[in-house]
Amino acid sequence: QVQLVESGGGLVQAGGSLRLSCARSVPTFSTYDMGWLRQAPGKEREFVAAIKWTGGSTYYADSVKGRFTISRDNAKNTMYLQMDSLKAEDTAVYYCATLRKGWVRWDRVYEYAYWGQGTQVTVSS
């Protein structure tokens, strides 16, 4: 059973920073790769960033590249998303999720199997 719990969302002014956390509970020795996705009001859910749990390779959507940093702490079984230089268009509910085994495209929503409940990020301009 996989459980994911996000935290760290909130209200911030444009140009500010937030750090999201995703605490995961996964079966022992699981190496699920993980990602962050977001959904703005009236829009489809979209990919933000992903990380390979073993090795730590990272991937980013073009819209956040250079501003967001994804990382993980193996010992704490926690993933993070450091968000800097936030813009109003980053306003969304942010979800952490596990990539399914054998994933091919890290930037496709359908590749994500287990989801957290989401955390709201609001950036005021």
Side-chain angles (χ1 to χ4, degrees):
Q1 185 73 13
V2 175
Q3 292 185 327
L4 306 171
V5 179
E6 301 100 334
S7 61
L11 173 64
V12 63
Q13 288 188 333
S17 299
L18 279 175
R19 189 176 83 152
L20 305 183
S21 299
C22 174
R24 68 177 209 168
S25 175
V26 297
T28 305
F29 305 120
S30 170
T31 57
Y32 284 108
D33 298 326
M34 301 280 296
W36 289 97
L37 301 96
R38 67 187 181 186
Q39 187 165 18
K43 294 188 176 181
E44 293 186 352
R45 196 166 295 188
E46 65 175 5
F47 167 79
V48 175
I51 187 166
K52 285 195 171 183
W53 206 258
T54 302
S57 296
T58 58
Y59 312 89
Y60 296 94
D62 288 343
S63 59
V64 306
K65 203 172 292 183
R67 300 188 298 121
F68 290 11
T69 304
I70 188 172
S71 63
R72 89 274 190 252
D73 185 326
N74 288 352
K76 295 182 178 180
N77 231 353
T78 301
M79 177 177 68
Y80 304 97
L81 185 68
Q82 177 66 41
M83 305 186 293
D84 299 318
S85 302
L86 282 161
K87 305 175 181 179
E89 50 264 42
D90 295 318
T91 295
V93 177
Y94 283 72
Y95 299 89
C96 67
T98 65
L99 280 153
R100 65 178 182 85
K101 295 295 186 182
W103 61 269
V104 176
R105 293 291 303 268
W106 41 264
D107 58 343
R108 294 292 190 261
V109 175
Y110 61 75
E111 295 276 27
Y112 290 84
Y114 297 98
W115 295 78
Q117 81 287 354
T119 185
Q120 176 70 47
V121 172
T122 303
V123 184
S124 63
S125 56

